[in-house]
Every structure is written in C-alpha cells, then in structure tokens.
C-alpha cells in the first residue's frame, strides 16, 4: 500500500499546533489602535513524517496574516541558543491556544534561560543600533518605532539578567516608550537611554542568577518523549514504524542496547 502524501504546511499548523500566542506590540503592552496582531506558534510534526526523504518544514509562514510557526524541535533548538524572539514567544502573556504538549513546553521555560541571553540580546541590540545610527546620518532622525522597540529589548534583557525572570510586558514604562515612538523625545536623549541600558545589562550579566548554560538534557528528554508519543499515535503514516517504536518488528523484539 502506498503511503499517504506528506501533510501540507497549512495542515501541520492547523492540526498539529501545540502552542500559539500573540506577540509584538500587543504582548509588550505597547499596542495602539493601528497595531497589527502578530501570531506565533509551535507545531509538532508527526514523527512518522521524519522517516521520509522529504522532511517536515522547520517553520511555516501563515496561513493567517502575520502568522509564523516553528516545528517543535527547531523552536527548542533556537530557545536553547537564547534567541530573543523565541524566548519572548515562550513568555507571551497572550496565549491563544495550548495543549498538553504545549503546557509541558511552557513548564520548561526556565530550562531555556541562561547567561547566553546577554550575548544574544545585546548582539541583536547592537545590530539594531547600527541601523538606527545609519538612519540618523542619512535622514537626520531614526525610525522612531524601531528606537522604541530597541529600548524595550534592552530593558527586558537587563531585568532578565538581574532577576532570572523574563517579563516582556513593559508595564509602567508604556507611556515613556510610546513617547519615543511618536518622536517626542530628542534623539540624543534616546541615545543616552540606550547607552545607559547597555551598561546596566553588562553589569547585570556579571552578577546574574542565571546559570551559565541552559538545561539541554531536560529539554532533550522532553523532545524525545514527545516524538515517541507521536510515533505511537494511530494515523495514516507507516504501521511498520509504529511497530518498531513499540518494540515489535516482524513479531520479534529488537536487541537490547548495550
């Protein structure tokens, strides 16, 4: 019997999403009337799809506008590297949907956090700062929305390094940040804030309660359990694969590992 064709990217997101949230200005507490709704998610590709030559995608854009999703393994990999966008996605206060696998993923949030965040957050911040400086040289002013978000990122990184907790809602800083977005704060003052926050991040990194490295073993254990459970699910993929995973191949058990 010929195997079923691989699932479409849209189907993977629609039927296999384990965690979905809203990100961007709405999650940061900086939304205004014209703000978009940025949707992010994590899907679990059925394990049997990995036995094919054509592997499932590591990420999918859409199918809704402003929607982007990662396959679970890719998401965990990036989170272990302290990718700012991924870590913030895990800490969104606006959760659209979550299943049991997603709840276990969220329970691992602290396992992904480490002092690596200092390097990744500040490296991203430096890249954005160079773009802002180029805008000022070329146009006489930065893109104020980007300047606001860079300030927000630096504040978030500083507080994470100080406390070991990542909070992405800006809280009481909302109005001062929106004033930057509206261009009401002179660039030299914004620049001074950025420089001060960068120094505070550096100081916080030296005394951070975060571990030097993330808990990779704990995250990998979760991924292996999840892949195994997926392989055991009944579905139109490959019955032989399910038999092997259960420890039955042609009626015999596989040899035990040494």
């Amino acid at each position: 019997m010929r195997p079923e064709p691989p699932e479409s990217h849209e189907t993977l997101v629609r039927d296999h999403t384990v965690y979905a949230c809203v990100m961007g200005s709405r999650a940061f507490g900086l939304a205004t009337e014209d703000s978009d709704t940025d949707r992010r998610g994590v899907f679990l590709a059925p394990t049997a799809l990995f036995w094919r030559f054509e592997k499932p995608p590591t990420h999918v854009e859409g199918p809704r506008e402003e929607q982007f999703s990662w396959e679970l393994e890719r998401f965990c990999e990036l989170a272990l590297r302290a990718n700012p966008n991924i870590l913030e996605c895990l800490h969104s206060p606006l959760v659209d949907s979550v299943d049991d696998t997603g709840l276990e993923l969220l329970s691992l949030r602290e396992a992904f956090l480490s002092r690596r965040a200092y390097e990744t957050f500040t490296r991203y911040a430096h890249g954005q700062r160079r773009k802002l400086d180029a805008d000022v040289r070329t146009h006489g002013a930065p893109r104020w929305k980007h300047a606001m978000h860079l300030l927000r990122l630096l504040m978030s990184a500083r507080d994470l390094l100080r406390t070991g907790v990542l909070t992405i809602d800006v809280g009481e800083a909302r109005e001062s940040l929106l004033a930057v977005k509206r261009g009401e704060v002179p660039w030299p003052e914004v620049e001074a804030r950025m420089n001060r926050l960068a120094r505070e991040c550096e100081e916080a990194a030296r005394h951070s309660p975060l571990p030097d490295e993330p808990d990779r073993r704990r995250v990998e254990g979760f991924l292996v359990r999840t892949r195994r459970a997926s392989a055991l699910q009944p579905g139109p993929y490959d019955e032989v694969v399910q038999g092997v995973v259960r420890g039955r191949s042609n009626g015999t058990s596989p040899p035990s590992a040494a």
Side-chain angles (χ1 to χ4, degrees), residues 123-157:
R123 183 170 64 238
Y124 181 82
H126 288 156
Q128 294 302 305
R129 177 66 182 273
R130 287 194 295 271
K131 293 178 182 179
L132 292 171
D133 289 339
D135 286 339
V136 172
R137 290 193 301 271
T138 304
H139 306 292
R143 299 182 186 183
W144 293 110
K145 179 179 178 179
H146 293 183
M148 174 192 72
H149 281 297
L150 178 50
L151 286 171
R152 182 207 63 78
L153 180 74
L154 288 168
M155 291 168 57
S156 181

Side-chain angles (χ1 to χ4, degrees), residues 18-19 40 70 105 116 147 161 173 191 198 200 202 215 227:
V18 301
Y19 171 65
R40 300 292 179 265
W70 296 268
L105 174 65
R116 288 187 180 186
L161 292 164
E191 193 174 28
E200 291 173 351
E202 183 177 5
D215 194 342
R227 286 271 188 253

Side-chain angles (χ1 to χ4, degrees), residues 54-110:
E54 184 178 350
K55 305 302 180 187
T58 58
H59 59 269
V60 173
E61 187 170 354
R64 301 169 68 180
E65 290 188 10
E66 307 296 335
Q67 183 178 13
F68 192 96
S69 302
W70 296 268
E71 206 284 322
L72 179 65
E73 182 174 343
R74 179 59 172 167
F75 186 86
C76 290
E77 181 183 33
L78 292 173
L80 287 168
R81 296 179 188 176
N83 179 290
N85 290 327
I86 299 295
L87 291 182
E88 290 184 335
C89 183
L90 269 175
H91 291 78
S92 174
L94 304 177
V95 176
D96 270 348
S97 65
V98 61
D99 67 5
D100 289 343
T101 301
L103 287 172
E104 188 171 359
L105 174 65
L106 293 179
S107 76
L108 292 171
R109 282 185 289 201
E110 74 280 3

Side-chain angles (χ1 to χ4, degrees), residues 172-205:
E172 295 180 355
R174 170 183 164 86
E175 292 307 320
S176 64
L177 288 170
L178 288 177
V180 172
K181 180 183 178 182
R182 293 190 295 266
E184 297 171 358
V185 183
W187 171 243
E189 182 178 336
V190 174
E191 193 174 28
R193 287 191 202 175
M194 291 177 179
N195 293 337
R196 183 182 71 251
L197 285 167
R199 291 193 299 270
E200 291 173 351
C201 284
E202 183 177 5
E203 176 65 20

Side-chain angles (χ1 to χ4, degrees), residues 184-232:
E184 297 171 358
V185 183
W187 171 243
E189 182 178 336
V190 174
E191 193 174 28
R193 287 191 202 175
M194 291 177 179
N195 293 337
R196 183 182 71 251
L197 285 167
R199 291 193 299 270
E200 291 173 351
C201 284
E202 183 177 5
E203 176 65 20
R206 286 197 284 267
H207 307 286
S208 179
L210 291 172
D212 290 336
E213 298 291 333
D215 194 342
R216 183 180 181 88
R217 176 176 292 186
R218 185 179 168 197
V219 174
E220 189 169 50
F222 157 69
L223 182 62
V224 169
R225 289 194 310 275
T226 302
R227 286 271 188 253
R228 186 179 183 87
S230 171
L232 294 172

